[in-house]
Amino acid sequence: RVFKFLKEAKKNSDEAVLGACLVKTLVDVLFSATQDAKKASDLLAPAAKKAPEAGIGVPLAQLFGKQRRWKEAVETLERHIAIFPEDESAAKMLDQARNFAG
């Protein structure tokens, strides 16, 4: 139901943010139980795109990093920083991801 709720929500709406946060919670539980970064990132990525203002870009980038998917980590962090320009931690992560991406 949560994924359906997110899918039906208008992009950047309050409902999309709520859905994205709920998906993030479910993904946290899934990753904690399985350590499956691919499955977790596959589930979280649509939520981050639908509601980037939900602030879930950093955890998504971390999941990409665990898989060495540096280009996707860079793109995700760039989108996050565009919305949260004062996030110094994300900026440092972006520099690291760019270094790994080559």
Side-chain angles (χ1 to χ4, degrees):
R1 290 183 182 185
V2 171
F3 295 100
K4 182 180 178 188
F5 178 80
L6 177 64
K7 186 177 181 178
E8 292 175 355
K10 183 178 175 184
K11 186 174 179 167
N12 302 327
S13 67
D14 289 343
E15 290 80 11
V17 172
L18 174 60
C21 291
L22 292 171
V23 167
K24 167 69 168 72
T25 301
L26 293 173
V27 166
D28 286 346
V29 171
L30 170 78
F31 184 73
S32 179
T34 66
Q35 298 298 301
D36 188 342
K38 169 113 174 67
K39 188 168 193 169
S41 64
D42 288 349
L43 292 171
L44 194 56
K49 287 181 180 174
K50 187 91 171 212
E53 63 279 1
I56 59 176
V58 169
L60 177 59
Q62 291 170 327
L63 289 168
F64 285 142
K66 290 179 187 301
Q67 301 166 74
R68 302 192 186 328
R69 293 166 62 183
W70 302 115
K71 181 181 176 206
E72 290 157 292
V74 167
E75 292 168 355
T76 300
L77 288 165
E78 287 173 343
R79 282 192 303 269
H80 175 82
I81 291 170
I83 295 168
F84 302 100
E86 302 297 321
D87 190 339
E88 294 178 18
S89 177
K92 289 177 185 174
M93 287 177 62
L94 177 58
D95 287 340
Q96 291 172 336
R98 284 180 175 151
N99 286 336
F100 285 120

